[in-house]
Amino acid sequence: MPINSLKHIVTGIIANVDAGKTTLSEALLYQTGNLRSLGRVDNGNTFLDTDQLEKKRGITIFSHQANLEYNDLSLTILDTPGHVDFVTQTEQVLSVLDYAILVISATDGITSHTRSLWNLLKHYHIPVFIFVNKIDINTNMASQILSQLKSELDESIIDFSSDNMLEDIAMCDESLFEDYLQTNAIPDEKILSLISDRVVFPCYFGSALKLDGIDEFLQGFNHWTQEPHYPNNFQAKIFKISHNDKGERLTWLRILGGSLKPREEILPEQKISQIRVYNGEKFSTYPTVNAGQVCTIPGLVNTYPGLSIGENQIDTIPTITPVLSYALDLNGNDIQTCLKALHELEDEDPKLHVTWSEHLKEISVQIMGEIQLEILEQILLDRYNLNVTFTKVNILYKETITNSIEGVGHFEPLRHYSEVHLLLEPGKRGSGLQFENQCSLEVLDKNWQHQIISNLKAKEHLGVLTGSPLTDVKITLLGGKASNVHTVGGDFRQACSRAVRQGLMMLKENNDCQLLEPWYRFKLKVDRTQIGRAINDIQRMHGTLDEQQVDGVLTGIAPVSEMYNYATNVRAYTHGNGTLELEIAGYYPCHNSTDIVSQQNYDPVSDLENTPQSVFCAHGAGYTVDWKDVPTTMHCEYFWNELAKSEVRRKG
């Protein structure tokens, strides 16, 4: 049957490690006749975990694609890593999904990583089907697991195999419930809408390994999903970059509008040489791919996960970032050879953020955790024959502000001119950097305003305490000045950076800059006799315990810098019986900021690439003005006070 006559859905199978995610993919493929025999993760012969490292470790490390047909459904499955250390790769996939299948292990229940995945799915607004796996171990656990799902994830998770399904669905919508009481029915179209709008989350139970509940799940997934509507013009989203064993660079994308054929140019001066559709480790070449399909294109350059192609498309900015940095021990290998290999791996996973410090003569990478580090070392050995190790762990700090200020940047060497005024305000925790424009067209032309906002978004802004990335700050363009004769494009890039830094320096002088560090959310299970020891450890690590605790289980948050290697201690004092689950909770005020700032010994004025100083012109020559003196030298008056007054008048 031609693909255009089928309902095409792209789904991602997502779960905590060992929940049975890959086993479910295997079961779906087998049950629909796409596999002749069932593979097993512990035997290293599954259809999707094809990498040798995955077979050796028994975990999914990279996302993989499989395709199946079931009745009128053409389903593309993207199997994602389950281990928390590889969650950045899972997040890359989310931007191209129609629906997600969240696998829950009946034996493990909801873990901290499950909650994090649920929050990610909410952030990307992805409809979710839930498959509770391993229910064969104890069939009486179904109601208990469903209650846990409702209480910890969402009340609108509904057992779609229950006789009370319609009544439970009606309870999720007040107006719908009134109609249901009168008709005792709900139209399928309404249920489809509730699922796609994330009002209702269907839940199924079974055992992927024993193929129990697989038919029911397939029938339900086929019946309760609907294909999106696509625009006619070409649009696509890139979600993965990889390299095959021949060294080919592969760009993985989903077509979100129109169609794509070989020899077309979707990026400047880059024509499509071949279109592939992968199924496991094998692929077929296609003469055309249409909206809704996932395909792979070899040979493209300068593509990256999250890149959007087409009109009015916005790049996907990931929410998860590593919190640890490790230095490379060359072990006698050539620096340039190591850098080249690491940059290729960074091409696949930009979150590695490979850097070379000329001052320290050191290569460093950013990592989510120790398992990812072990995998990285093994990949460097297997793929590039580089026997290296990583040592010297560093915490990745961030900085924010606790007060508002109007920062000013002026750039006026001979035959150049620009001045920018920016309002810096504290943002909500986890909001990153937000940008707004409140500049009047009477003050600056639209073209200059656009350049300023673009320059602000393009630069990684650093704080002035340790030179760490700035976060949770709202930056608003208030105004500025240009010259009809001397202003050129790059002038405002210089003025923007100086305005941000000048504002930060004024805030620092008033102790309104704040150092942030990453914190873990932890779940520690120990014997009752060891609770006292565990509590003392957490207090020593400057952690905070939740108010409500379950007997034998401690939960709370603690700094990553104190807790990142605590699992070793737990295994030791519990003789291997204790467990520690760690999940990044976010960035909070640093518990020892004075010590860290002192150790870093960062001088913001000496950081010439991020200088807070301004440049003015007199007698035909440019001269530098210290950030403190900019307010008495700038050419425009402050805008913030006038803006505040006009806002008061407007509201009055």
Side-chain angles (χ1 to χ4, degrees):
M1 183 181 293
I3 192 167
N4 286 342
S5 65
L6 300 176
K7 175 180 70 174
H8 196 92
I9 298 293
V10 176
T11 188
I13 301 190
I14 296 165
N16 187 54
V17 66
D18 293 334
K21 174 179 50 58
T22 302
T23 304
L24 176 60
S25 301
E26 197 84 1
L28 294 173
L29 291 165
Y30 178 79
Q31 200 75 357
T32 54
N34 289 270
L35 292 181
R36 294 182 179 178
S37 60
L38 275 171
R40 293 190 56 157
V41 173
D42 48 4
N43 292 337
N45 62 348
T46 60
F47 182 73
L48 285 171
D49 283 351
T50 57
D51 188 89
Q52 291 302 314
L53 269 176
E54 293 177 320
K55 293 178 180 180
K56 180 180 178 181
R57 290 271 182 167
I59 61 173
T60 303
I61 299 172
F62 311 100
S63 60
H64 299 282
Q65 177 181 349
N67 310 298
L68 62 83
E69 291 184 6
Y70 176 79
N71 296 338
D72 65 340
L73 172 66
S74 173
L75 183 63
T76 296
I77 295 174
L78 298 177
D79 189 26
T80 65
H83 197 283
V84 63
D85 281 11
F86 306 103
V87 69
T88 56
Q89 295 205 32
T90 299
E91 185 177 13
Q92 290 175 3
V93 171
L94 298 187
S95 63
V96 299
L97 301 184
D98 296 318
Y99 296 85
I101 300 171
L102 179 64
V103 184
I104 305 291
S105 168
T107 56
D108 297 334
I110 297 172
T111 65
S112 58
H113 188 43
T114 306
R115 284 186 285 270
S116 294
L117 292 171
W118 184 260
N119 291 333
L120 267 180
L121 293 167
K122 181 179 180 181
H123 174 79
Y124 286 93
H125 201 73
I126 299 172
V128 182
F129 282 70
I130 294 172
F131 184 81
V132 179
N133 193 26
K134 305 180 184 181
I135 201 67
D136 57 304
I137 296 175
N138 187 348
T139 55
N140 297 324
M141 291 179 64
S143 59
Q144 179 183 335
I145 292 293
L146 185 62
S147 296
Q148 186 185 17
L149 289 168
K150 286 177 171 289
S151 63
E152 296 192 31
L153 298 185
D154 197 292
E155 278 291 335
S156 297
I157 295 173
I158 306 298
D159 180 0
F160 266 49
S161 62
S162 168
D163 294 335
N164 299 323
M165 181 190 85
L166 292 181
E167 181 179 343
D168 292 339
I169 292 174
M171 293 287 287
C172 299
D173 186 292
E174 187 174 337
S175 60
L176 179 63
F177 186 66
E178 294 175 2
D179 293 339
Y180 173 74
L181 290 178
Q182 295 178 4
T183 64
N184 204 35
I186 304 174
D188 281 5
E189 294 76 13
K190 181 62 178 178
I191 298 176
L192 283 166
S193 177
L194 291 172
I195 294 171
S196 64
D197 291 340
R198 287 180 48 88
V199 177
V200 166
F201 305 95
C203 182
Y204 294 85
F205 298 83
S207 169
L209 187 62
K210 296 185 177 180
L211 300 178
D212 292 340
I214 300 301
D215 270 335
E216 292 79 3
F217 180 77
L218 276 167
Q219 291 170 17
F221 191 87
N222 183 25
H223 187 77
W224 298 118
T225 54
Q226 53 187 349
E227 187 176 27
H229 297 289
Y230 301 103
N232 293 326
N233 58 306
F234 177 76
Q235 297 178 6
K237 174 80 74 174
I238 294 169
F239 66 92
K240 176 182 174 181
I241 302 296
S242 66
H243 295 80
N244 62 19
D245 53 7
K246 297 179 181 178
E248 280 186 309
R249 186 180 190 271
L250 305 177
T251 297
W252 301 67
L253 65 156
R254 182 170 187 202
I255 312 300
L256 299 174
S259 61
L260 182 63
K261 298 178 181 178
R263 294 183 295 279
E264 290 185 342
E265 186 177 291
I266 61 172
L267 293 167
E269 299 181 1
Q270 293 195 65
K271 288 187 177 181
I272 307 302
S273 60
Q274 185 185 64
I275 298 175
R276 302 175 182 176
V277 174
Y278 274 82
N279 194 25
E281 60 183 344
K282 298 180 179 180
F283 68 84
S284 301
T285 58
Y286 276 55
T288 183
V289 284
N290 299 308
Q293 290 184 263
V294 171
C295 65
T296 305
I297 301 172
L300 294 180
V301 297
N302 299 324
T303 53
Y304 53 87
L307 175 64
S308 293
I309 304 172
E311 297 179 5
N312 303 318
Q313 295 295 295
I314 301 174
D315 288 0
T316 301
I317 300 175
T319 62
I320 296 175
T321 57
V323 297
L324 300 172
S325 174
Y326 286 81
L328 178 69
D329 186 342
L330 294 169
N331 289 343
N333 290 284
D334 177 66
I335 291 178
Q336 293 304 319
T337 303
C338 291
L339 267 176
K340 182 180 178 182
L342 284 168
H343 280 310
E344 185 172 290
L345 295 176
E346 183 186 29
D347 185 32
E348 299 177 6
D349 183 5
K351 289 299 180 181
L352 281 177
H353 197 69
V354 179
T355 57
W356 162 254
S357 170
E358 185 66 34
H359 172 66
L360 298 174
K361 303 296 180 185
E362 185 176 270
I363 299 173
S364 63
V365 296
Q366 295 182 7
I367 293 292
M368 291 295 296
E370 290 187 359
I371 299 298
Q372 185 189 7
L373 198 66
E374 293 174 11
I375 295 298
L376 181 59
E377 291 176 347
Q378 193 64 48
I379 291 174
L380 287 168
L381 180 60
D382 294 346
R383 193 189 295 186
Y384 304 100
N385 197 30
L386 292 171
N387 187 11
V388 297
T389 55
F390 290 90
T391 57
K392 192 182 174 184
V393 62
N394 293 304
I395 302 299
L396 297 174
Y397 295 93
K398 293 186 180 182
E399 297 183 33
T400 191
I401 60 177
T402 57
N403 209 341
S404 301
I405 198 74
E406 181 175 336
V408 181
H410 190 98
F411 185 69
E412 191 189 358
L414 187 62
R415 297 187 180 90
H416 293 268
Y417 186 94
S418 60
E419 182 165 301
V420 172
H421 288 238
L422 302 172
L423 175 61
L424 310 183
E425 299 175 278
K428 293 181 180 179
R429 177 177 292 151
S431 63
L433 293 182
Q434 304 293 319
F435 303 97
E436 189 173 313
N437 185 2
Q438 291 190 13
C439 180
S440 168
L441 289 175
E442 297 176 358
V443 175
L444 276 176
D445 287 344
K446 185 177 182 180
N447 180 50
W448 296 131
Q449 293 185 27
H450 176 73
Q451 284 199 28
I452 291 170
I453 296 298
S454 297
N455 287 325
L456 285 171
K457 291 180 177 179
K459 182 175 174 62
E460 182 183 45
H461 299 281
L462 304 182
V464 293
L465 296 176
T466 62
S468 299
L470 191 66
T471 191
D472 300 346
V473 176
K474 181 182 178 183
I475 302 178
T476 303
L477 171 61
L478 300 179
K481 192 173 182 180
S483 166
N484 292 331
V485 178
H486 297 303
T487 301
V488 296
D491 293 352
F492 278 109
R493 181 174 65 251
Q494 290 284 342
C496 281
S497 176
R498 295 164 194 266
V500 173
R501 298 287 283 182
Q502 194 267 346
L504 291 175
M505 291 299 289
M506 290 197 294
L507 290 169
K508 179 186 178 185
E509 193 173 42
N510 294 322
N511 294 317
D512 289 327
C513 290
Q514 187 176 61
L515 186 66
L516 305 176
E517 68 176 331
W519 287 56
Y520 281 131
R521 170 151 289 281
F522 65 84
K523 183 177 183 181
L524 176 60
K525 294 181 181 180
V526 296
D527 188 84
R528 293 181 182 179
T529 60
Q530 297 159 337
I531 287 289
R533 158 72 188 269
I535 291 175
N536 287 335
D537 284 352
I538 291 165
Q539 291 174 343
R540 175 181 52 80
M541 292 184 289
H542 303 274
T544 302
L545 289 165
D546 293 334
E547 291 185 6
Q548 295 183 343
Q549 300 288 340
V550 178
D551 193 23
V553 179
L554 297 176
T555 60
I557 59 173
V560 170
S561 60
E562 300 289 329
M563 207 177 209
Y564 75 92
N565 58 0
Y566 182 56
T568 303
N569 294 343
V570 171
R571 286 193 294 269
Y573 74 76
T574 65
H575 307 291
N577 295 318
T579 60
L580 176 66
E581 293 181 18
L582 298 175
E583 198 74 24
I584 300 299
Y587 275 79
Y588 294 83
C590 183
H591 77 283
N592 58 339
S593 60
T594 302
D595 293 339
I596 299 302
V597 171
S598 176
Q599 290 171 17
Q600 298 280 356
N601 195 27
Y602 175 69
D603 181 7
V605 177
S606 298
D607 187 349
L608 300 182
E609 293 185 2
N610 300 280
T611 179
Q613 319 290 55
S614 280
V615 178
F616 289 80
C617 187
H619 309 295
Y623 65 97
T624 301
V625 172
D626 189 74
W627 62 269
K628 288 183 180 179
D629 300 324
V630 169
T632 59
T633 320
M634 63 191 188
H635 290 179
C636 300
E637 296 294 328
Y638 275 123
F639 289 85
W640 187 20
N641 290 338
E642 289 303 315
L643 186 71
K645 290 176 186 176
S646 64
E647 186 68 12
V648 170
R649 286 196 297 269
R650 186 184 67 80
K651 290 182 178 179

